[in-house]
Amino acid sequence: MADDEVATKAPESDAAQQSVFPGDTPAQEGPSMGEHCVTDRPTLAGEKPTGEMTKLGDVDVYITKPSDYPHSPSKLLLFLTGGTGIHSTNNQLQADKYAAEGFLVVMPDQFAGDPAPNSAAELPSPDQNTSWIETVKLRAAETAKSFVIDMWLARHTPEKVLPLLHAVLSSAKDEFADAVANGGGVYAVGYCFGAKYVLMLAGEHTDTMIGGQPKPEDEEAGMVKQGPLIKAGAIAHGTMITKDDVMAVKAPVCMVCVENDSLFPDEVREAGKEALEKAGVEHEIEVYPGVPHGFAVLGDYEDEKIRDAQKRAFGQMLGWLQAH
């Protein structure tokens, strides 16, 4: 897909009907994509990204820095996007907002040049005047859209994504050692698809893929718990998150959630909250009512309530990172 096609696509086009990760439990049931997972949001008028495209660990990244860096101390922030990835203008502008608040932001291409397919075309809903054959065609189109997204998700599992993130983290820690030292570690934010991976990086796992290659002295590779790899994380309207993802979290986390979100169901969120409380992990979970899934990603909305919630969500996530 051409970069200019991705740049205007909604950053949250990444939800699937069920988990396609081997051995994983389904994250949710219901429609594979909601309206706001496939609807483009206009870029805010007059705003243009200020960062640059480069490579870290042989992975394409978008990097944006505070205007006074390196003369003033900064902290390293790993920014994990939704399905549209690093060429989305809205994602880049969102990263720039964190840079303006003192973070050196590294936004990696989690999808190795294969962002989510453009499935944003709206399908009209059948009504009483719709013929039988038209209804069949509409349902077939909906099924085709879901199938395309499901096939895309099957190409981007933890086995593919995590090695890319490890490579970027390793290189970023070397190149921006001053920012890592200043923050006492790496911070992370994740939206939609990226939210799951922030939780994985914030967790303690026996799977060596999560924590990287085991040390030579490890007696049983893969059986030694590793992680977390980040100091603190914040996520917004995650997709494909499982109870196990949240239960493994050990680093402080902030979650911006949407009320009645089929893509991050109440039962998963509540089970995760209970596990965090039981484990004594510092956390903050806020559920935003009356907003669509994907609302926290920068983009223009006509509804003032959604615009206000978007600003409040950014403030919540930023405040959490600054406090840790």
Side-chain angles (χ1 to χ4, degrees):
M1 181 185 298
D3 290 352
D4 57 350
E5 293 177 356
V6 179
T8 57
K9 186 168 174 284
E12 57 271 20
S13 303
D14 49 31
Q17 183 173 5
Q18 59 183 12
S19 175
V20 292
F21 301 159
D24 211 355
T25 55
Q28 67 275 323
E29 296 179 356
S32 62
M33 296 178 292
E35 176 187 353
H36 291 276
C37 289
V38 297
T39 302
D40 295 345
R41 298 311 314 167
T43 299
L44 297 174
E47 296 197 22
K48 293 184 179 180
T50 58
E52 62 177 356
M53 297 296 302
T54 184
K55 282 184 180 289
L56 280 177
D58 203 32
V59 177
D60 289 334
V61 295
Y62 175 83
I63 294 181
T64 178
K65 307 172 184 177
S67 59
D68 53 357
Y69 177 83
H71 303 294
S72 296
S74 182
K75 297 179 180 179
L76 185 64
L77 178 66
L78 182 70
F79 187 119
L80 302 184
T81 72
T84 49
I86 62 175
H87 294 292
S88 162
T89 299
N90 285 350
N91 284 342
Q92 292 179 356
L93 290 173
Q94 189 88 58
D96 290 347
K97 286 175 67 67
Y98 287 103
E101 298 293 340
F103 288 92
L104 193 162
V105 185
V106 174
M107 186 166 72
D109 179 8
Q110 306 167 90
F111 313 119
D114 178 34
N118 190 346
S119 56
E122 286 296 314
L123 296 175
S125 300
D127 56 33
Q128 59 183 4
N129 297 319
T130 304
S131 69
W132 175 81
I133 189 63
E134 289 173 336
T135 300
V136 171
K137 288 180 179 179
L138 286 173
R139 296 307 180 208
E142 290 173 352
T143 300
K145 283 173 58 179
S146 296
F147 177 75
V148 169
I149 290 294
D150 287 346
M151 291 303 293
W152 176 79
L153 285 166
R155 297 196 298 273
H156 300 292
T157 63
E159 289 81 359
K160 297 292 182 65
V161 175
L162 286 169
L164 297 176
L165 299 184
H166 285 306
V168 170
L169 280 172
S170 179
S171 294
K173 287 178 180 178
D174 289 337
E175 184 160 344
F176 305 115
D178 58 329
V180 176
N182 182 57
V186 178
Y187 297 82
V189 293
Y191 295 80
C192 301
F193 183 101
K196 178 182 178 77
Y197 289 87
V198 167
L199 294 184
M200 295 179 84
L201 294 175
E204 186 179 69
H205 303 266
T206 55
D207 186 342
T208 57
M209 231 181 16
I210 304 295
Q213 293 296 321
K215 297 178 181 179
E217 61 268 26
D218 290 343
E219 294 183 358
E220 296 181 80
M223 298 305 294
V224 177
K225 287 189 176 182
Q226 302 178 66
L229 299 184
I230 61 174
K231 183 178 181 182
I235 68 171
H237 36 70
T239 62
M240 300 178 299
I241 292 173
T242 68
K243 296 176 183 177
D244 288 344
D245 291 334
V246 188
M247 291 174 67
V249 169
K250 299 300 179 184
V253 292
C254 167
M255 299 187 195
V256 168
C257 305
V258 175
E259 185 179 44
N260 300 322
D261 187 359
S262 63
L263 305 179
F264 189 8
D266 293 349
E267 58 267 25
V268 176
R269 185 185 72 243
E270 290 301 322
K273 180 179 179 180
E274 182 178 343
L276 292 172
E277 291 174 348
K278 185 176 181 180
V281 176
E282 189 178 358
H283 63 281
E284 177 179 275
I285 300 175
E286 183 167 351
V287 179
Y288 287 68
V291 295
H293 180 94
F295 82 97
V297 177
L298 199 67
D300 197 14
Y301 283 91
E302 294 182 2
D303 190 328
E304 184 176 355
K305 180 179 180 180
I306 300 177
R307 294 200 304 268
D308 290 345
Q310 187 180 92
K311 293 177 182 177
R312 188 158 62 90
F314 175 73
Q316 178 185 348
M317 296 171 74
L318 174 65
W320 181 262
L321 298 173
Q322 292 175 331
H324 293 81

